[in-house]
Amino acid sequence: MIADYETLAKTVAALTEGETDQVALMATVACEVHHSDDRFDWTGFYRVTEPGLLKIGPYQGGHGCLVIPFDRGVCGAAARTGEAQLVPDVDAFPGHIACASSTRSELVLPVRNSSGEVIAVFDIDSNLPDAFTPQDAQNLEDILTTVFAGR
């Protein structure tokens, strides 16, 4: 099953309407996105908890790394640069952090609040190589913007 992003966006919007707590929003988004697509093996958030540091937030899937500095890995690159990281082969990404040995490809998106500050990154891992497309990134960015920056 491949994500139907139009339906997913409507579902997430309905489930999060009126909610302002970031952790509750993250938990809902992680759950809905994770179960929307068979390519998604690990889906979750790493929250900015202090300057230059991410800590694991709500997620679906196996265990994740608890702490990721901005200067390490794909999640750190997304937080540091504020840009989406679409990685078709994690073994080819310099400094990739292997939280799960099964991960072959990864998509990490910065999450911004209404002021434009990066408050977290949204990380999706797949055990398939080259699992993600630029269209996946755009559709998920749109959902994240609506949920976190539109409030």
Side-chain angles (χ1 to χ4, degrees), residues 135 137-147:
Q135 194 58 50
Q138 185 60 59
N139 286 318
L140 290 164
E141 281 179 5
D142 292 346
I143 290 170
L144 293 169
T145 298
T146 299
V147 172

Side-chain angles (χ1 to χ4, degrees), residues 12 15-16 19 21-35 43-45 47 57-60 122 147-148:
V12 168
L15 290 170
T16 60
E19 182 56 63
D21 181 83
Q22 287 182 351
V23 174
L25 293 168
M26 288 177 186
T28 301
V29 169
C31 180
E32 290 301 314
V33 171
H34 184 74
H35 294 288
T43 310
F45 291 87
R47 299 167 295 111
Y59 67 92
Q60 299 277 312
F122 187 52
V147 172
F148 294 97

Side-chain angles (χ1 to χ4, degrees), residues 47-124:
R47 299 167 295 111
V48 177
T49 58
E50 60 185 80
L53 192 69
L54 298 165
K55 287 196 178 179
I56 199 164
Y59 67 92
Q60 299 277 312
H63 69 84
C65 296
L66 298 182
V67 178
I68 299 176
F70 278 26
D71 63 354
R72 295 206 48 227
V74 181
C75 290
R80 184 176 66 253
T81 66
E83 296 176 2
Q85 303 292 309
L86 183 62
V87 181
D89 177 3
V90 295
D91 293 331
F93 189 91
H96 174 256
I97 302 169
C99 296
S101 61
S102 61
T103 300
R104 306 274 38 101
S105 59
E106 192 166 0
L107 172 60
V108 182
L109 304 166
V111 179
R112 298 179 193 287
N113 64 15
S114 60
S115 301
E117 299 168 283
V118 174
I119 58 167
V121 297
F122 187 52
D123 180 16
I124 304 175

